Amino acid sequence: MSTAVKSPWFLLAGVIVAALSLVVAITGPASEVSKSRTEVTSLVAEPVNQDTVTEFALPLDTPLDQLPQTDVGNFCDTGMIEWLRRFGTEVPPYHRISIRSAAEDGAMLVVDNLRAVDVNRYEPQPVMHFQCPDAGNADTAILELRLDRDRTALELVNGSSDNTRPFAFNLEPGEQGNLELWLLNDDTYSYSGRIVADVTTGTAKKTVSLPLNGEDPAKFDRIGLGRYGRLIVSPGQTKDGFRCELYPAGYSRWRPREGDEIEDTFDCSLEKVRSVLAEIGRGP
């Protein structure tokens, strides 16, 4: 009968394998151990590009006759938007923000108490309201925030301003969500500031700034249109033509909303735009 003789190296390898098996049994596979766990710094927030959905406050003497032509009907293409940005101040009707948890494991990340801070109010200059229409939205959490009153955002339920609730967004590890933030004001003044939100996981909490789309993603600049906001100018279907919407005196919102009635909608030339603005300027 022969006797098997085990090498000391064979015995050492057996000990190592047994030790590793014990570690895996206690902590799980190595890939699970290395996963990043949820921290308040796990939030990743990025502005969502909306190059075809935006609005501008333009000086009344902006040379609209030099505005590049578009091949997309009543919508704005990239060349037109670049031109508008050179001559005016971009004030998007809403800000789309993508938020996600960069964690791979661990607790839920809670984003809430979205609000405006460092808000400054100042007198607006006479400006023209130029609109690049919206072709439609994807499903997202829609929030409204009044700059002239309560500066804490509320989430719309079923898209209605008459039915709101406090905003809170829960993100599981790796989960992503989208926000659509509408900044509202009375248009008598212009406003600037920053948008922040609280991020919480477990007992840890942190306040972070949310980046916005527009000229400066670190802040917002909400231009008040005053009486000139009654006229909304947008691209027309023909060369050198525009589409105009005229609202009654007292209208002071950036975009038509439920309950607002248009006084007149018409195709307009640059000369017609100028004459309507001049008439509004002479009004009460």
Side-chain angles (χ1 to χ4, degrees), residues 10 17 43-44 73 77 133 153 167 207 231 281:
F10 181 85
V17 170
L43 180 71
V44 177
D77 60 15
F167 165 71
T207 299
L231 178 66

Side-chain angles (χ1 to χ4, degrees), residues 54 144 213:
T54 190
E144 281 190 347
N213 45 24

Side-chain angles (χ1 to χ4, degrees), residues 168-189:
F169 209 117
N170 300 325
L171 293 170
E172 298 285 356
E175 187 178 8
Q176 178 173 326
N178 293 289
L179 310 179
E180 185 172 291
L181 176 63
W182 292 73
L183 300 180
L184 307 177
N185 58 284
D186 62 4
D187 249 358
T188 305
Y189 295 95

Side-chain angles (χ1 to χ4, degrees), residues 112-115 143 145 151-153 167 179 181 195-197 210:
D112 63 1
N113 195 21
L114 192 147
R115 60 201 184 275
L143 316 178
L145 192 157
R151 293 170 179 167
T152 300
F167 165 71
L179 310 179
L181 176 63
I195 299 299
V196 301
L210 295 180

